[in-house]
Amino acid sequence: MAPANYTSYMDAALALANAALAIGEVPVGAVVIRDGNIIGRGHNRTRIDQDPTAHAEIVAIREATRFLGNDRLDDCDLWVTLEPCTMCAGAIAHARIRRLYYGAGDAKGGAVDSGVRFFESPTCHHRPEIYAGMAEERSAKLLMDFFRGRRD
């Protein structure tokens, strides 16, 4: 179940996704929340940073760990507009994120409820609570419009 103020967290993640779109990146945004406050923000930056690991989740997790001065985010929640990939799921597990909320599913690249289902693996050492479908339609539309525009 989403917290009462979930709209503002997803709105923040969607605003970051739109920032990614504005610089030609795949429009994915993420925020890390602790005690109701955003302590980490990120959007896809792979092209602009020339860094294949600069996914929205990784960027937000890095900012949150710097803010806290700790590599563990066990009392934090991650809100992201797209189902995380395997790399990001691994980072979520290593950071010990408490809860993961995501918008659109990703049948091709997702690793939470799609693909490898990373957190269901017996070798996964930490599994966050998972809540899918937060602002799903808005998140999916942003991505579909982006990829449609690239094909046209």
Side-chain angles (χ1 to χ4, degrees), residues 8-142:
S8 65
Y9 300 146
M10 281 309 289
D11 284 347
L14 284 160
L16 287 160
N18 278 300
L21 179 65
I23 60 171
E25 295 279 356
V26 176
V28 179
V31 293
V32 176
I33 308 298
R34 181 177 187 218
D35 297 330
N37 299 305
I38 296 174
I39 62 165
R41 292 172 177 80
H43 60 69
N44 277 4
R45 301 184 51 88
T46 59
R47 292 179 184 263
I48 197 165
D49 288 354
Q50 297 177 338
D51 178 357
T53 69
H55 287 196
E57 301 94 321
I58 303 291
V59 174
I61 287 170
R62 286 176 180 158
E63 185 174 293
T65 58
R66 282 192 301 271
F67 177 83
L68 294 177
N70 190 341
D71 65 326
R72 299 290 170 95
L73 301 174
D74 45 13
D75 57 349
C76 298
D77 302 334
L78 176 67
W79 292 75
V80 62
T81 59
L82 181 65
E83 179 183 355
C85 69
T86 306
M87 175 184 69
C88 293
I92 290 164
H94 283 283
R96 305 292 200 280
I97 296 285
R98 175 179 55 189
R99 293 183 198 103
L100 166 64
Y101 298 89
Y102 73 85
D106 185 357
K108 286 186 179 179
V112 177
D113 292 315
S114 305
V116 300
R117 298 178 184 247
F118 183 85
F119 298 116
E120 293 179 18
S121 169
T123 58
C124 181
H125 61 278
H126 172 77
R127 183 184 198 279
E129 293 176 33
I130 299 167
Y131 301 91
M134 305 291 128
E136 182 174 16
E137 288 179 19
R138 290 169 55 203
S139 298
K141 182 178 181 344
L142 190 59

